[in-house]
Amino acid sequence: MAIEDLVTSEVIAEALTEADVTLQEREYPEINIREAIPVSDTLEKGLEYSKFGIVGTRGSLDDGLIGNKTSSLIEVGTEIEWKKAPAEDWAKMAEWNVVEVEKAARFGVALDTARLDTVYQNALATIQKAGYRGHKQSKNMEGLLTSASVEQVTPAVNKDLNAMTADEVVTFILSAYDKAYAKSGYTVMPNKIAIDSRDLMIIMGKFSTSVVVGIDGMPFSALDKITAALRKASGNDTFSVDFVKVPMQFAQKVKNATTSRLVVYSYNEAYVDMEVMMPEMITEISHGLLTFQAGYRSRFTGARWKEPESAVYVDYPITPTT
């Protein structure tokens, strides 16, 4: 290999390594899937499916008492139901012409790695969409918003959020929450509501028309009333439900073109999670006679619903954004 070729190779290798370190350390505010689902970076290469077990306990609540004449105990058995979620491979690349690499080497200027940044961001965004919606090319992959096993319930107020009053918004959210809470026999309070980011902003702008105001002198908002009601139900003054802002209209048009979907659920890896292999840089390679290529590879499942019966979906009317 000629000295010029070695220099060129070293230039692109050094530039890409530096860019990769920067990208791995950077925070991306638009990527919030970890706020919505517990995500573990444990997905191994070469597996077509990610397997997970659901442990069920069998045992009556009407026996088990012991006394002076008890000589044996009743055994409580467990059952493990094994499920599997599709694990998909993803990779994309960027390309540099040998001339631009040679110029960077000769004049000591930085190689333009912005296109590698684009590939990395696309990898993260694809993982995020898979977590919320599944992937279009993966037939059986489910997302947080698209499980066939989660019950769809009718909204208590069947209106576009823009048309709802503050009190109607409270009824709309609390009714959905009650249906999810009831799934556990009112023993486990869900701690997350994922909803379209635009719709959450609409809810945040809904204020009561009552003359009663809060300690800040502002009218009570719909969110104030929702929070107060749930804290009272929990018996815990610090209890709160986190609203997850579903980005990029992923919550829209799930069921049909004129509705958006929210989900009430528990953020707990025992209920729902996602397994991934975070993007890894593919070492640069010479491609053909005049180009170099580098890219990223990742792997991911969708949302692995372990307790889909603990959640509910609500599809409500919207005015679709363009």
Side-chain angles (χ1 to χ4, degrees):
M1 180 180 290
I3 294 177
E4 292 82 359
D5 293 335
L6 286 173
V7 172
T8 300
S9 181
E10 289 175 0
V11 166
I12 193 168
E14 181 179 350
L16 295 178
T17 299
E18 291 179 358
D20 180 55
V21 171
T22 300
L23 293 174
Q24 298 284 356
E25 294 177 347
R26 183 180 300 169
E27 293 185 4
Y28 295 86
E30 69 275 19
I31 305 299
N32 72 342
I33 188 62
R34 290 184 185 273
E35 297 175 22
I37 311 174
V39 178
S40 59
D41 187 9
T42 55
L43 188 58
E44 298 178 1
K45 297 176 181 177
L47 299 176
E48 292 186 8
Y49 295 94
S50 171
K51 294 183 179 180
F52 56 98
I54 301 174
V55 178
T57 301
R58 294 178 292 110
S60 173
L61 304 182
D62 295 321
D63 55 19
L65 299 184
I66 61 174
N68 294 335
K69 298 182 179 180
T70 301
S71 60
S72 63
L73 300 179
I74 297 173
E75 179 182 0
V76 176
T78 59
E79 293 179 339
I80 300 178
E81 179 184 358
W82 291 100
K83 293 188 175 183
K84 58 183 181 179
E88 301 292 356
D89 289 273
W90 179 99
K92 288 186 180 180
M93 64 90 180
E95 191 171 75
W96 292 263
N97 186 284
V98 69
V99 175
E100 60 184 319
V101 180
E102 289 173 343
K103 286 182 178 179
R106 180 168 295 277
F107 297 108
V109 298
L111 182 68
D112 178 15
T113 56
R115 64 198 74 173
L116 191 67
D117 190 348
T118 301
V119 176
Y120 186 79
Q121 290 187 61
N122 187 254
L124 295 181
T126 301
I127 290 172
Q128 172 159 275
K129 184 174 183 180
Y132 281 119
R133 293 283 295 255
H135 196 286
K136 188 175 182 179
Q137 292 181 322
S138 182
K139 183 178 180 181
N140 296 314
M141 182 180 289
E142 295 185 331
L144 178 67
L145 295 162
T146 57
S147 173
S149 301
V150 174
E151 183 184 2
Q152 299 176 34
V153 300
T154 303
V157 182
N158 197 27
K159 293 182 181 179
D160 187 308
L161 279 165
N162 280 304
M164 291 188 197
T165 65
D167 287 342
E168 286 176 329
V169 167
V170 173
T171 299
F172 170 68
I173 295 295
L174 290 183
S175 174
Y177 188 92
D178 178 70
K179 289 180 170 62
Y181 189 15
K183 296 275 189 174
S184 67
Y186 294 100
T187 59
V188 179
M189 296 190 73
N191 56 15
K192 292 276 187 177
I193 299 176
I195 188 171
D196 179 75
S197 55
R198 181 194 67 164
D199 288 346
L200 181 57
M201 290 303 298
I202 293 173
I203 290 174
M204 291 175 68
K206 296 289 183 178
F207 290 89
S208 173
T209 57
S210 169
V211 295
V212 179
V213 297
I215 58 174
D216 57 0
M218 292 287 291
F220 283 110
S221 69
L223 282 180
D224 289 333
K225 292 185 176 182
I226 291 167
T227 300
L230 295 179
R231 283 181 177 171
K232 187 173 182 180
S234 71
N236 181 349
D237 290 340
T238 63
F239 177 81
S240 65
V241 173
D242 293 328
F243 282 82
V244 178
K245 295 180 288 186
V246 181
M248 300 180 68
Q249 302 176 22
F250 291 151
Q252 295 184 20
K253 303 179 183 180
V254 179
K255 184 176 182 180
N256 56 51
T258 60
T259 61
S260 191
R261 172 170 287 181
L262 68 78
V263 55
V264 184
Y265 64 106
S266 291
Y267 182 95
N268 187 318
E269 62 184 8
Y271 287 72
V272 60
D273 72 352
M274 182 180 190
E275 196 173 16
V276 305
M277 182 190 84
M278 293 301 289
E280 296 179 352
M281 190 173 71
I282 303 171
T283 306
E284 82 286 348
I285 58 172
S286 177
H287 179 69
L289 299 176
L290 295 174
T291 58
F292 288 88
Q293 293 180 343
Y296 280 95
R297 176 189 178 189
S298 67
R299 309 194 75 233
F300 50 84
T301 66
R304 304 192 309 173
W305 276 101
K306 302 172 183 178
E307 298 287 347
E309 67 279 0
S310 67
V312 297
Y313 291 145
V314 181
D315 295 293
Y316 55 94
I318 57 167
T319 302
T321 56
T322 57

